Amino acid sequence: MKKAILLLLLAFCAMGGAQPIFKGVLVGTDQKPINAANIILITLPDSTLVKGAISDAKGVFELPNTAEHKKIIIKITHLEYEPKILTPTQSQLGTIELTPATNQLGEVVLTARRPIIEQKGTRISTNVAQSSLQNLPRAEMLINFLPGVSTSYTGGGFEVFGKGNPIFFINNRRVRNLDDVYHLSPKDIESIELETQPGAEHDNSVGAVIYIKLKKKQGDGLSGSIENEEYFRKNGLHNNSWANLNYRSGKTDLFLNIGAYNNFKNHFYRNNELQTFTTPHQWRVTTNEVSDNNDKSAEVKVGFSHDFSDKHAIGASVRGGITPYSGHAYTQQETATYRNNAIIAKGLNEYDQFNQNKDLNANAYYEGKLTDKLKLQTDIDYIGQRSNNQTDIIEHNLLTSSAQKVHKHQEASSNWWNLKATFLQQIGKGALNYGTELSNQYRKETYNDNALTTPDIKNTEVRSAGFASWAYPLGKISTKVGLRYEYADFGYYENQQKSEVKSRIYRHWLPNVSVAFPWDKTQFTLSYVRKIKRPAFYELSDYSAYSSPFLYDRGNPYVIPQLNDEWTALATYGPISASLMYGHIRNAIHNDYSLSAINPNVIEKTIRNYDHYNLLKGVLNAQMQIGKWMPKLTLTYYKPFAKDVLPTSEAAFSAELMNQIALNDKWLVLALFNYVSKGTEREYYMYEQRSGVHLFVARMLFNQSLTIYGGVMDAFNQLNNHSEFRNPYIMSRQSKNYENYCIKVGIDYNFNTTQNRYKGHGVNN
């Protein structure tokens, strides 16, 4: 009897402890699934919000019932549909049809739509889920459609309103490898925000931040994506393959990413003309190079994340990569050397290069809501790098039938640790963001060849920073003030001995302030920030490295950080955004060429600090949805005021026109046209204009889970760089032809999409 009673009690407890899950499918009157609808559970009679969910691309949602036997209703809302109220009697809700939200005005029908672009303070948000942007084949293409974002023709990647390469966050998780961004599916992205004026919580060298917010999805089990891209060039083939796997059980995610990158005779040409002026001779060297690259690279990333509750989450990941794990780069170089216009040497040089880099990146984090008004985000990062670069050079002098062999070997190892803790505290209407960041970096380098003698170099840096940022609304005006203090202790060692002359200690105060306000239908933001740029460790090594018989590379340990006082005005009116930035650059860091101290007939390429100068950048962006067509136009104007500082100060102009045409739910056409004028880029003068045409077609299959796409990149092969550098010692002209023209085809398959593994809770909001 007692056992029976005990079993009944256990069964009763089990039944009472179980939480039913309401499940359903949302469709429109056309029976097509409704994506990104909000489904919320409300208790009565107090109308308290208990739980919420969002429908996925198939219209499916799952809503746990945590109301604890109270009377409930379910409310479904969507910007394009009429709200719907349900009084559920069972957990299986079946198919739920929503009616489009319309207002009748005579014969005009107005349909509610959320704007694609919206400015809030210094941030510009793009609604991806409610636009045709979600149908793009790759996130890399999607980033190009963001307002103010354009392709960077100087540092690679992207630029945001001309402020240089941005950093990326996924659900407020910092990602340090762009592959994590490129391999996202646009269908999984809810919205993207551009922070055009990053606060003090970020390193002030950061020009912009791109925050990617993923959709909240439900469900356990295995999910993932498989991608493959092929680049067919005239003389070679490049292949990218990628697999993302995620297993979710309850509140825990385990994930694995694997990528492989292969070059099969990747071909490019390069022509140089180098003139040097020494006493008493004038030298001129012309070179023509043809290179083939056959390297193969791979990377693997594993990790996990776990939510203890809605208030606390942890996670960790480890990524390892080898670039390349096999394959060499082969170059044939024809040279002609003239002294006072008379040829004295004619050469044929052969280069066999194997430059291998091994990377190991690790991250661990904790995010928690300590109180109702205080949040904490803590990150620990490690980046370890090992490089082994070897080059064998055979230099043939065709005039004397002689030959010289040069062997170069460089090894470098570095370790970087970083700890960052950020607190976000609500104080009345304001928000206080404060914290600290600590890092330690160590780099050791060994270089030798049989032409030059060099020392062993070791660099160390201990850096710490404290920051605070205060945001407060004054009616319709939003204000933000921040201050960051950075301390850096840089140590320079030669052959195990510390050089006190080349070692440095830096202390910098870096303020920022911004004011955002509306005027009629326009949103304005005015901001000021002081930024700092430090040279990379490899640029500080004080030795000459052999590049060719007439050109050496050399670091400069005496370079001091570059400071930039930057004033920016940003305005958004409907689909149009405009930015105007004026910067005052002090101790500017740029490349330079000078006579070698070892050989007066050899030029050394190095970096140095230039005098102060000013810079003006203007960006105009226009973007809108016109039926099935979404065009985006970006115009950029760049003008340095650097007379007698940089070799050139000529203004440069660029235009980029992106076009997306959604023919229907299954077909998508992309067309990109870009143009860059002659003009200044940093310390170089681009003496030929560049233009490009790119065309793609994408086909979606199996309810858009499979995408096949293909097209042509740089159809006329007109995007190659033609640069010139001049100073009293040198005139260098370089023309690069990388065969940008290629046929690109790809396939992307997503299966069983479940909850994403990036668990940020909005500490940086």
Side-chain angles (χ1 to χ4, degrees):
M1 185 67 180
K2 291 181 178 179
K3 291 183 177 180
I5 293 173
L6 180 60
L7 290 173
L8 287 172
L9 289 172
L10 290 174
F12 179 79
C13 292
M15 292 171 60
Q19 293 181 351
I21 298 177
F22 296 112
K23 298 180 180 180
V25 180
L26 300 180
V27 297
T29 53
D30 56 1
Q31 299 304 304
K32 291 183 178 180
I34 297 175
N35 182 29
N38 294 301
I39 304 96
I40 57 176
L41 185 67
I42 299 174
T43 60
L44 299 176
D46 53 359
S47 298
T48 301
L49 171 63
V50 178
K51 201 72 175 176
I54 297 179
S55 61
D56 63 15
K58 298 179 181 179
V60 176
F61 69 88
E62 294 183 1
L63 182 66
N65 182 6
T66 58
E68 300 179 352
H69 309 293
K70 294 181 180 180
K71 188 176 181 180
I72 61 171
I73 61 171
I74 294 177
K75 184 176 182 180
I76 303 173
T77 61
H78 192 285
L79 289 171
E80 297 184 21
Y81 295 88
E82 296 286 353
K84 197 176 191 73
I85 303 294
L86 303 177
T87 305
T89 58
Q90 58 183 2
S91 59
Q92 295 296 332
L93 303 177
T95 300
I96 304 166
E97 186 176 292
L98 301 185
T99 304
T102 59
N103 294 317
Q104 299 291 336
L105 298 177
E107 297 181 355
V108 180
V109 178
L110 299 180
T111 301
R113 282 192 177 272
R114 185 177 172 184
I116 297 175
I117 301 172
E118 186 178 3
Q119 180 180 339
K120 295 180 180 179
T122 58
R123 293 193 181 194
I124 298 179
S125 63
T126 299
N127 178 18
V128 177
Q130 299 300 321
S131 73
S132 59
L133 292 174
Q134 64 178 325
N135 296 324
L136 289 169
R138 291 177 53 82
E140 183 177 359
M141 299 177 182
L142 170 59
I143 300 298
N144 268 310
F145 268 98
L146 299 180
V149 176
S150 59
T151 304
S152 174
Y153 300 100
T154 54
F158 310 101
E159 285 199 1
V160 177
F161 286 106
K163 292 189 173 185
N165 300 133
I167 61 174
F168 286 84
F169 283 72
I170 300 177
N171 281 5
N172 285 303
R173 302 283 330 138
R174 168 77 184 271
V175 292
R176 299 185 181 275
N177 190 296
L178 281 180
D179 284 335
D180 291 338
V181 176
Y182 291 161
H183 296 291
L184 288 174
S185 171
K187 298 177 182 64
D188 291 335
I189 298 175
E190 176 69 28
S191 62
I192 301 180
E193 286 190 335
L194 305 180
E195 176 57 82
T196 61
Q197 193 62 67
E201 63 270 21
H202 298 293
D203 185 334
N204 283 62
S205 63
V206 176
V209 184
I210 295 181
Y211 293 97
I212 300 175
K213 180 183 177 182
L214 301 181
K215 297 175 182 176
K216 295 179 181 178
K217 301 171 185 173
Q218 305 295 327
D220 289 354
L222 181 66
S223 66
S225 65
I226 299 173
E227 305 170 32
N228 187 76
E229 285 189 331
E230 305 288 342
Y231 297 77
F232 298 94
R233 292 182 169 87
K234 180 180 178 181
N235 294 297
L237 169 68
H238 177 78
N239 163 264
N240 292 339
S241 300
W242 193 266
N244 303 309
L245 299 176
N246 190 91
Y247 180 78
R248 185 171 189 268
S249 178
K251 297 180 178 180
T252 303
D253 283 270
L254 304 175
F255 58 87
L256 169 67
N257 303 336
I258 302 174
Y261 313 92
N262 303 304
N263 280 313
F264 301 94
K265 199 178 180 182
N266 196 9
H267 209 64
F268 76 88
Y269 306 89
R270 180 165 55 197
N271 301 316
N272 294 337
E273 180 180 357
L274 179 69
Q275 294 188 36
T276 65
F277 308 95
T278 63
T279 304
H281 303 297
Q282 176 181 338
W283 299 81
R284 183 167 67 93
V285 180
T286 62
T287 62
N288 296 289
E289 295 180 356
V290 180
S291 295
D292 290 308
N293 193 348
N294 297 284
D295 61 356
K296 299 172 177 59
S297 306
E299 65 177 67
V300 177
K301 182 177 181 180
V302 296
F304 82 95
S305 64
H306 177 74
D307 286 347
F308 293 101
S309 67
D310 292 339
K311 296 182 178 180
H312 302 281
I314 62 171
S317 63
V318 178
R319 174 189 169 274
I322 302 179
T323 309
Y325 63 82
S326 67
H328 288 225
Y330 301 95
T331 302
Q332 275 202 345
Q333 181 189 74
E334 297 178 352
T335 70
T337 305
Y338 300 84
R339 182 175 61 195
N340 301 328
N341 294 323
I343 189 167
I344 62 169
K346 191 174 183 181
L348 177 63
N349 305 326
E350 300 173 4
Y351 294 77
D352 181 356
Q353 297 174 300
F354 181 70
N355 299 334
Q356 186 179 78
N357 295 286
K358 299 178 180 179
D359 303 309
L360 180 65
N361 300 352
N363 168 264
Y365 69 87
Y366 162 76
E367 293 182 349
K369 191 173 183 180
L370 305 183
T371 69
D372 291 340
K373 296 184 178 181
L374 180 63
K375 297 179 182 180
L376 168 65
Q377 178 173 319
T378 303
D379 284 277
I380 300 176
D381 288 286
Y382 167 77
I383 298 178
Q385 296 179 321
R386 306 291 184 269
S387 64
N388 182 8
N389 303 332
Q390 299 190 55
T391 304
D392 289 298
I393 309 171
I394 302 178
E395 299 172 347
H396 301 276
N397 190 328
L398 302 181
L399 296 184
T400 62
S401 299
S402 60
Q404 173 181 291
K405 294 184 178 181
V406 178
H407 176 77
K408 297 166 52 179
H409 183 207
Q410 180 185 34
E411 289 190 29
S413 62
S414 67
N415 297 285
W416 177 78
W417 292 90
N418 189 77
L419 169 65
K420 184 176 182 180
T422 304
F423 294 87
L424 177 63
Q425 187 168 3
Q426 295 292 328
I427 303 176
K429 295 181 179 180
L432 179 62
N433 195 338
Y434 58 94
T436 185
E437 190 169 3
L438 307 172
S439 67
N440 182 284
Q441 185 165 354
Y442 165 95
R443 185 177 190 273
K444 185 176 181 180
E445 182 178 359
T446 302
Y447 173 86
N448 59 76
D449 60 45
N450 56 341
L452 302 171
T453 302
T454 62
D456 292 343
I457 301 297
K458 183 179 78 171
N459 297 323
T460 63
E461 184 178 74
V462 177
R463 188 186 301 183
S464 60
F467 54 85
S469 182
W470 171 249
Y472 192 81
L474 299 172
K476 295 183 178 181
I477 300 175
S478 300
T479 62
K480 183 169 64 175
V481 178
L483 183 63
R484 183 182 179 94
Y485 173 76
E486 291 192 0
Y487 169 88
D489 186 347
F490 169 70
Y492 189 93
Y493 297 80
E494 293 179 349
N495 299 324
Q496 309 303 318
Q497 297 295 319
K498 183 176 183 179
S499 171
E500 299 295 340
V501 176
K502 299 175 183 178
S503 300
R504 297 280 191 277
I505 292 179
Y506 301 110
R507 299 178 178 89
H508 291 100
W509 291 94
L510 304 170
N512 68 80
V513 60
S514 65
V515 178
F517 55 93
W519 182 29
D520 195 17
K521 297 181 180 181
T522 305
Q523 291 289 329
F524 282 96
T525 301
L526 304 176
S527 58
Y528 162 79
V529 64
R530 174 172 293 174
K531 296 181 179 180
I532 188 170
K533 175 186 175 182
R534 295 183 177 90
F537 272 13
Y538 71 88
E539 297 175 312
L540 299 171
S541 300
D542 191 13
Y543 65 82
S544 295
Y546 189 91
S547 179
S548 72
F550 52 86
L551 183 64
Y552 298 162
D553 291 322
R554 189 180 186 90
N556 184 357
Y558 298 102
V559 172
I560 62 176
Q562 168 185 302
L563 293 175
N564 182 12
D565 291 302
E566 190 175 283
W567 292 265
T568 303
L570 174 66
T572 299
Y573 178 81
I576 300 175
S577 300
S579 171
L580 187 64
M581 187 274 289
Y582 182 80
H584 176 65
I585 300 173
R586 292 180 285 170
N587 305 315
I589 299 175
H590 292 301
N591 290 329
D592 191 22
Y593 293 82
S594 61
L595 294 175
S596 169
I598 302 174
N599 186 339
N601 294 321
V602 171
I603 291 296
E604 284 185 338
K605 180 182 178 181
T606 185
I607 64 170
R608 71 174 178 89
N609 290 109
Y610 286 72
D611 290 336
H612 309 335
Y613 68 91
N614 300 318
L615 180 66
L616 180 67
K617 286 184 180 180
V619 179
L620 177 65
N621 183 91
Q623 180 177 2
M624 64 179 61
Q625 185 85 46
I626 307 174
K628 297 181 179 181
W629 175 38
M630 178 185 286
K632 177 202 165 192
L633 175 65
T634 304
L635 306 176
T636 303
Y637 177 80
Y638 173 96
K639 169 62 178 175
F641 298 90
K643 185 179 180 181
D644 300 325
V645 178
L646 295 180
T648 175
S649 290
E650 185 174 325
F653 169 79
S654 67
E656 189 171 82
L657 177 62
M658 303 278 298
N659 298 273
Q660 179 197 173
I661 304 173
L663 301 178
N664 51 45
D665 292 340
K666 297 180 179 180
W667 287 95
L668 188 71
V669 177
L670 296 174
L672 166 64
F673 309 96
N674 49 357
Y675 168 82
V676 184
S677 71
K678 300 178 182 180
T680 301
E681 286 187 8
R682 292 176 56 81
E683 64 273 19
Y684 293 96
Y685 175 68
M686 313 307 292
Y687 62 87
E688 285 193 16
Q689 61 187 16
R690 291 156 284 166
S691 61
V693 177
H694 318 267
L695 299 171
F696 285 92
V697 177
R699 173 74 160 91
M700 279 73 75
L701 302 165
F702 305 116
N703 199 24
Q704 298 188 340
S705 61
L706 177 66
T707 302
I708 301 173
Y709 55 94
V712 59
M713 299 178 63
D714 194 10
F716 303 103
N717 201 40
Q718 296 294 316
L719 276 177
N720 292 293
N721 288 343
H722 305 275
S723 61
E724 177 183 284
F725 180 94
R726 289 179 180 267
N727 71 9
Y729 302 104
I730 187 172
M731 190 282 288
S732 174
R733 276 197 163 197
Q734 188 174 91
S735 176
K736 297 180 182 179
N737 186 339
Y738 285 103
E739 287 193 359
N740 294 313
Y741 165 77
C742 70
I743 302 297
K744 177 180 176 180
V745 296
I747 184 169
D748 181 16
Y749 175 63
N750 293 270
F751 62 94
N752 298 340
T753 304
T754 61
Q755 176 132 350
N756 67 79
R757 61 182 176 272
Y758 297 95
K759 302 291 187 178
H761 292 290
V763 169
N764 289 304
N765 281 348

